[in-house]
């Protein structure tokens, strides 16, 4: 158990819908990362937040957005969902947003878009 | 920009046999290097990491990896594989300086025969 929690574990929804994935980092960790894992793209970095502020952006679509709240939990919002958005979405946290700090991954949310 | 290649999609070994998983990276300087393991239905767990110093790095679960600058490689090894080692293994590279966003390889699936 990494100490990172993600809800829900599974999500099935239809195309065009909007969903929210939630992540609670390890106690004391200020940095949260979101990743998308799919068979064809592998593990892709989406976005990083550090202490409530966006720190880095990766291959995140404009239909996706995220935020980190004052209690440090984070939410990833996915809208206008397409079949290709079906994937595992991981959240990871670390003690720092700087180079070299280990990331702890949550168990993931499996999103299926039908 | 950094990149990482894991040339083997699948590796099959017998229990008790030795293991080597290959990882090659591309980066202009010495990067930060990581190996993660993902068991079915789980998030990624850090096995070991290389930052500087001794090029032979020891990790958890009996794994080790060796950084070879001349070959731009960071191969993962284990002298005797256990059935519980069956999982997906990811090599990751991170750039030095500034915010740390790793680039992950596509992963190598390890199958262990009894």
């Amino acid at each position: 158990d990494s100490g990172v929690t993600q809800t829900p574990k599974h999500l099935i929804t239809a195309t065009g819908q909007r969903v929210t994935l939630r992540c609670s980092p390890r106690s004391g960790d200020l940095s949260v990362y979101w990743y998308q894992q799919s068979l064809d793209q592998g593990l892709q970095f989406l976005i990083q937040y550090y202490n409530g502020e966006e720190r880095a952006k990766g291959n995140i679509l404009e239909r996706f957005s995220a935020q980190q709240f004052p209690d440090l939990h984070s939410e990833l919002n996915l809208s206008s969902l397409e079949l290709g958005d079906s994937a595992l979405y991981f959240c990871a946290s670390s003690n720092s947003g700087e180079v070299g700090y280990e990331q702890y991954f949550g168990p993931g949310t499996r999103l299926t878009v039908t | 920009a950094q990149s990482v290649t894991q040339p083997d999609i699948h590796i099959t070994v017998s229990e008790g046999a030795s293991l080597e998983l290959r990882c090659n990276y591309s980066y202009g300087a010495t990067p930060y290097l990581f190996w993660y393991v993902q068991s079915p239905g789980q998030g990624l767990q850090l096995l070991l990491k290389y930052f500087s110093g001794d090029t032979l790095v020891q990790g958890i679960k009996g794994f080790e990896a060796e950084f070879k600058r001349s070959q731009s490689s960071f191969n993962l090894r284990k002298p005797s594989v256990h059935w519980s080692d069956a999982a997906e293994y990811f090599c990751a590279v991170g750039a030095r300086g500034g915010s740390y966003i790793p680039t992950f390889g596509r992963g190598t699936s390890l199958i262990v025969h009894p």
Side-chain angles (χ1 to χ4, degrees):
Chain A
D1 185 356
S2 66
V4 178
T5 60
Q6 289 187 250
T7 56
K9 287 191 94 144
H10 302 278
L11 200 48
I12 302 174
T13 189
T15 54
Q17 295 299 303
R18 172 190 166 96
V19 297
T20 297
L21 312 183
R22 183 187 169 102
C23 168
S24 292
R26 286 189 329 153
S27 177
D29 282 357
L30 299 176
S31 196
V32 169
Y33 305 77
W34 285 98
Y35 293 87
Q36 179 193 59
Q37 186 180 40
S38 61
L39 281 174
D40 54 339
Q41 295 290 326
L43 193 65
Q44 299 284 319
F45 165 71
L46 295 178
I47 196 164
Q48 177 202 6
Y49 278 83
Y50 178 75
N51 204 18
E53 295 194 2
E54 182 183 303
R55 177 64 70 93
K57 245 179 177 176
N59 300 323
I60 188 166
L61 300 172
E62 286 193 14
R63 300 183 285 108
F64 296 0
S65 64
Q67 55 184 326
Q68 187 179 28
F69 294 86
D71 67 352
L72 301 177
H73 91 272
S74 178
E75 292 181 356
L76 178 68
N77 300 296
L78 314 176
S79 61
S80 302
L81 285 167
E82 301 174 0
L83 295 176
D85 297 327
S86 295
L88 259 175
Y89 291 85
F90 287 107
C91 166
S93 73
S94 74
N95 185 253
S96 167
E98 302 305 326
V99 173
Y101 284 83
E102 175 179 347
Q103 295 186 18
Y104 294 86
F105 281 76
T109 293
R110 181 172 293 281
L111 173 66
T112 303
V113 182
T114 62
Chain B
Q2 67 266 27
S3 66
V4 58
T5 302
Q6 294 179 246
D8 303 305
I9 298 175
H10 303 282
I11 290 277
T12 301
V13 299
S14 298
E15 191 169 14
S18 63
L19 170 70
E20 182 168 33
L21 302 182
R22 296 184 291 164
C23 172
N24 294 98
Y25 68 89
S26 174
Y27 183 63
T30 300
Y32 293 106
L33 295 160
F34 306 80
W35 275 100
Y36 285 84
V37 61
Q38 183 180 25
S39 298
Q42 304 292 319
L44 280 69
Q45 180 186 20
L46 183 70
L47 284 175
L48 48 77
K49 58 188 178 185
Y50 172 79
F51 288 171
S52 64
D54 193 347
T55 56
L56 186 62
V57 180
Q58 300 298 320
I60 62 170
K61 306 186 182 192
F63 285 92
E64 66 177 28
E66 186 171 12
F67 168 58
K68 292 187 177 180
R69 186 193 311 274
S70 62
Q71 298 176 20
S72 296
S73 69
F74 189 57
N75 294 348
L76 182 71
R77 301 194 295 247
K78 186 169 185 177
S80 178
V81 170
H82 187 263
W83 64 266
S84 60
D85 293 323
E88 191 85 14
Y89 291 80
F90 294 90
C91 181
V93 59
R96 293 179 182 264
S99 185
Y100 161 54
I101 305 299
T103 299
F104 285 82
R106 294 301 300 269
T108 297
S109 178
L110 174 64
I111 301 162
V112 180
H113 283 317

PDB file of all heavy atoms in Angstrom, chain A residues 2 6 30 32 35 44 73 84-85 90 112:
ATOM      1  N   SER A   2       0.735   2.047  -1.064  1.00  0.00           N
ATOM      2  CA  SER A   2       1.602   3.227  -1.224  1.00  0.00           C
ATOM      3  C   SER A   2       1.171   4.394  -0.356  1.00  0.00           C
ATOM      4  O   SER A   2       1.938   5.335  -0.149  1.00  0.00           O
ATOM      5  CB  SER A   2       1.589   3.666  -2.685  1.00  0.00           C
ATOM      6  OG  SER A   2       0.299   4.139  -3.049  1.00  0.00           O
ATOM      7  N   GLN A   6      -7.111   6.465  -4.675  1.00  0.00           N
ATOM      8  CA  GLN A   6      -7.799   6.963  -5.842  1.00  0.00           C
ATOM      9  C   GLN A   6      -9.215   6.405  -5.853  1.00  0.00           C
ATOM     10  O   GLN A   6      -9.440   5.232  -5.560  1.00  0.00           O
ATOM     11  CB  GLN A   6      -7.085   6.514  -7.131  1.00  0.00           C
ATOM     12  CG  GLN A   6      -5.770   7.207  -7.373  1.00  0.00           C
ATOM     13  CD  GLN A   6      -5.203   6.852  -8.729  1.00  0.00           C
ATOM     14  OE1 GLN A   6      -4.193   6.147  -8.833  1.00  0.00           O
ATOM     15  NE2 GLN A   6      -5.837   7.358  -9.786  1.00  0.00           N
ATOM     16  N   LEU A  30       3.356  16.995  -1.067  1.00  0.00           N
ATOM     17  CA  LEU A  30       2.807  18.233  -1.611  1.00  0.00           C
ATOM     18  C   LEU A  30       2.554  18.165  -3.107  1.00  0.00           C
ATOM     19  O   LEU A  30       1.832  18.980  -3.662  1.00  0.00           O
ATOM     20  CB  LEU A  30       3.780  19.388  -1.332  1.00  0.00           C
ATOM     21  CG  LEU A  30       4.077  19.682   0.138  1.00  0.00           C
ATOM     22  CD1 LEU A  30       5.123  20.782   0.250  1.00  0.00           C
ATOM     23  CD2 LEU A  30       2.809  20.076   0.885  1.00  0.00           C
ATOM     24  N   VAL A  32       1.432  16.279  -6.659  1.00  0.00           N
ATOM     25  CA  VAL A  32       0.563  15.256  -7.241  1.00  0.00           C
ATOM     26  C   VAL A  32       0.780  15.240  -8.749  1.00  0.00           C
ATOM     27  O   VAL A  32       0.855  16.278  -9.398  1.00  0.00           O
ATOM     28  CB  VAL A  32      -0.925  15.542  -6.938  1.00  0.00           C
ATOM     29  CG1 VAL A  32      -1.821  14.642  -7.771  1.00  0.00           C
ATOM     30  CG2 VAL A  32      -1.206  15.336  -5.459  1.00  0.00           C
ATOM     31  N   TYR A  35      -1.214  10.504 -14.540  1.00  0.00           N
ATOM     32  CA  TYR A  35      -0.739   9.755 -15.692  1.00  0.00           C
ATOM     33  C   TYR A  35      -1.908   9.008 -16.326  1.00  0.00           C
ATOM     34  O   TYR A  35      -2.857   8.610 -15.650  1.00  0.00           O
ATOM     35  CB  TYR A  35       0.314   8.710 -15.292  1.00  0.00           C
ATOM     36  CG  TYR A  35       1.611   9.266 -14.794  1.00  0.00           C
ATOM     37  CD1 TYR A  35       1.787   9.579 -13.447  1.00  0.00           C
ATOM     38  CD2 TYR A  35       2.684   9.449 -15.664  1.00  0.00           C
ATOM     39  CE1 TYR A  35       3.004  10.069 -12.989  1.00  0.00           C
ATOM     40  CE2 TYR A  35       3.899   9.937 -15.204  1.00  0.00           C
ATOM     41  CZ  TYR A  35       4.045  10.240 -13.866  1.00  0.00           C
ATOM     42  OH  TYR A  35       5.234  10.729 -13.414  1.00  0.00           O
ATOM     43  N   GLN A  44       1.672   7.784 -19.974  1.00  0.00           N
ATOM     44  CA  GLN A  44       1.865   9.166 -20.406  1.00  0.00           C
ATOM     45  C   GLN A  44       1.619  10.125 -19.243  1.00  0.00           C
ATOM     46  O   GLN A  44       0.580  10.061 -18.590  1.00  0.00           O
ATOM     47  CB  GLN A  44       0.892   9.500 -21.539  1.00  0.00           C
ATOM     48  CG  GLN A  44       1.057   8.649 -22.787  1.00  0.00           C
ATOM     49  CD  GLN A  44       2.258   9.062 -23.594  1.00  0.00           C
ATOM     50  OE1 GLN A  44       2.531  10.244 -23.760  1.00  0.00           O
ATOM     51  NE2 GLN A  44       2.997   8.090 -24.110  1.00  0.00           N
ATOM     52  N   HIS A  73      -5.663  17.182  -1.839  1.00  0.00           N
ATOM     53  CA  HIS A  73      -6.204  16.177  -2.730  1.00  0.00           C
ATOM     54  C   HIS A  73      -6.373  16.801  -4.115  1.00  0.00           C
ATOM     55  O   HIS A  73      -6.418  18.028  -4.267  1.00  0.00           O
ATOM     56  CB  HIS A  73      -7.502  15.573  -2.197  1.00  0.00           C
ATOM     57  CG  HIS A  73      -8.763  16.259  -2.636  1.00  0.00           C
ATOM     58  ND1 HIS A  73      -9.319  17.315  -1.948  1.00  0.00           N
ATOM     59  CD2 HIS A  73      -9.567  16.022  -3.702  1.00  0.00           C
ATOM     60  CE1 HIS A  73     -10.415  17.697  -2.572  1.00  0.00           C
ATOM     61  NE2 HIS A  73     -10.597  16.936  -3.631  1.00  0.00           N
ATOM     62  N   GLY A  84     -11.499   6.675 -27.217  1.00  0.00           N
ATOM     63  CA  GLY A  84     -10.055   6.622 -27.035  1.00  0.00           C
ATOM     64  C   GLY A  84      -9.568   7.078 -25.674  1.00  0.00           C
ATOM     65  O   GLY A  84      -8.391   6.932 -25.354  1.00  0.00           O
ATOM     66  N   ASP A  85     -10.467   7.622 -24.875  1.00  0.00           N
ATOM     67  CA  ASP A  85     -10.084   8.040 -23.520  1.00  0.00           C
ATOM     68  C   ASP A  85     -10.115   6.869 -22.548  1.00  0.00           C
ATOM     69  O   ASP A  85      -9.688   7.016 -21.392  1.00  0.00           O
ATOM     70  CB  ASP A  85     -11.025   9.142 -23.024  1.00  0.00           C
ATOM     71  CG  ASP A  85     -10.945  10.393 -23.871  1.00  0.00           C
ATOM     72  OD1 ASP A  85      -9.837  10.696 -24.388  1.00  0.00           O
ATOM     73  OD2 ASP A  85     -11.981  11.070 -24.037  1.00  0.00           O
ATOM     74  N   PHE A  90      -3.634   7.006 -13.444  1.00  0.00           N
ATOM     75  CA  PHE A  90      -2.909   6.913 -12.187  1.00  0.00           C
ATOM     76  C   PHE A  90      -2.628   8.292 -11.625  1.00  0.00           C
ATOM     77  O   PHE A  90      -2.335   9.238 -12.356  1.00  0.00           O
ATOM     78  CB  PHE A  90      -1.569   6.195 -12.383  1.00  0.00           C
ATOM     79  CG  PHE A  90      -1.683   4.721 -12.594  1.00  0.00           C
ATOM     80  CD1 PHE A  90      -1.476   4.168 -13.843  1.00  0.00           C
ATOM     81  CD2 PHE A  90      -1.992   3.884 -11.534  1.00  0.00           C
ATOM     82  CE1 PHE A  90      -1.574   2.808 -14.041  1.00  0.00           C
ATOM     83  CE2 PHE A  90      -2.098   2.516 -11.728  1.00  0.00           C
ATOM     84  CZ  PHE A  90      -1.891   1.977 -12.995  1.00  0.00           C
ATOM     85  N   THR A 112     -13.721   3.254 -18.593  1.00  0.00           N
ATOM     86  CA  THR A 112     -14.208   2.637 -19.833  1.00  0.00           C
ATOM     87  C   THR A 112     -15.270   3.548 -20.415  1.00  0.00           C
ATOM     88  O   THR A 112     -16.272   3.849 -19.761  1.00  0.00           O
ATOM     89  CB  THR A 112     -14.807   1.247 -19.577  1.00  0.00           C
ATOM     90  OG1 THR A 112     -13.819   0.412 -18.950  1.00  0.00           O
ATOM     91  CG2 THR A 112     -15.251   0.604 -20.873  1.00  0.00           C
TER      92      THR A 112
END
